[in-house]
Amino acid sequence: MNASETDLALAAAGGDAAAFSALLSSCYDGLFRLAFRLTGSQHDAEDLTQDICAMLPAKLRGYRGDAQFTTWLYRIAVNSAHDRRRKRASQVRAAAGWGDWERNRQAANSETAAQVDWLITAMASLPDDLRDTLALVLDDMTHREAAAVLEVSEGTVSWRMSEVRKHLRILRETEDQT
């Protein structure tokens, strides 16, 4: 599918509307899953995915086929998520407390919701590079694929995942002690 996605992307970059439609159909679900992992909420993931799809026709003009299309697209998604985080930093400070209330409401729904909520909260406490790496690996990417998206070495992805495990373990132990 990767070669055909590359062909579709190149055709779409040339203005082929049918190729663009087929390309969007083939990559939308994976893009949404990654956006969800990067943002931690369905609403934000939907917004991020829509924003990326809206900017994709203009971005495709710069796609040359040097990398797999999904690698190129996921790099756009990671960069877009970074941009959103920066823009929302002031909004989060203004709305302090609301997020805690919403997370608590969701956690009361079920034990599964509590586990998902814990992971989302824990991921939010990670530095951006570790959060992005974890989001990609949780999206069933191999370390090699994640490395290509993040433009780092495969060893760096492995090291980051080790750091993620340490951070999450310490966070869980700290919570269990309190």
Side-chain angles (χ1 to χ4, degrees):
M1 187 69 159
N2 290 331
S4 66
E5 283 181 349
T6 298
D7 294 339
L8 287 172
L10 292 171
D16 185 338
F20 180 76
S21 177
L23 181 65
L24 208 51
S25 293
S26 73
C27 67
Y28 186 87
D29 289 342
L31 180 61
F32 176 79
R33 280 192 308 273
L34 176 60
F36 181 80
R37 297 225 192 272
L38 291 170
T39 62
S41 82
Q42 180 178 350
H43 176 75
D44 289 341
E46 288 168 349
D47 286 348
L48 180 61
T49 303
Q50 283 181 353
D51 289 348
I52 292 167
C53 290
M55 74 171 87
L56 196 54
K59 292 278 189 183
L60 273 171
R61 289 187 209 118
Y63 180 68
R64 301 288 173 247
D66 298 334
Q68 285 185 345
F69 176 74
T70 53
T71 300
W72 178 84
L73 179 63
Y74 283 13
R75 183 78 232 155
I76 290 173
V78 168
N79 288 339
S80 295
H82 282 234
D83 292 344
R84 281 177 157 288
R85 285 182 205 133
R86 285 190 288 270
K87 289 177 185 175
R88 289 205 174 157
S90 62
Q91 293 172 344
V92 168
R93 285 189 295 274
W98 172 253
D100 292 337
W101 177 84
E102 178 62 16
R103 282 192 293 272
N104 289 335
R105 185 190 67 78
Q106 289 178 1
N109 288 339
S110 71
E111 183 177 327
T112 302
Q115 292 170 345
V116 168
D117 189 48
W118 183 87
L119 182 58
I120 290 169
T121 303
M123 284 180 71
S125 72
L126 293 170
D128 286 346
D129 59 341
L130 296 181
R131 182 182 329 151
D132 296 343
T133 304
L134 179 58
L136 291 169
V137 171
L138 287 176
D139 198 41
D140 293 329
M141 284 194 140
T142 65
H143 287 201
R144 177 175 290 166
E145 292 167 337
V149 169
L150 296 170
E151 297 176 335
V152 297
S153 72
E154 189 175 346
T156 298
V157 170
S158 297
W159 175 83
R160 285 179 181 176
M161 288 305 298
S162 173
E163 291 299 305
V164 165
R165 284 188 287 279
K166 287 179 199 174
H167 180 84
L168 295 179
R169 184 174 40 254
I170 291 169
L171 187 60
R172 177 60 84 183
E173 289 171 357
T174 302
E175 288 176 0
D176 288 345
Q177 292 174 359
T178 57

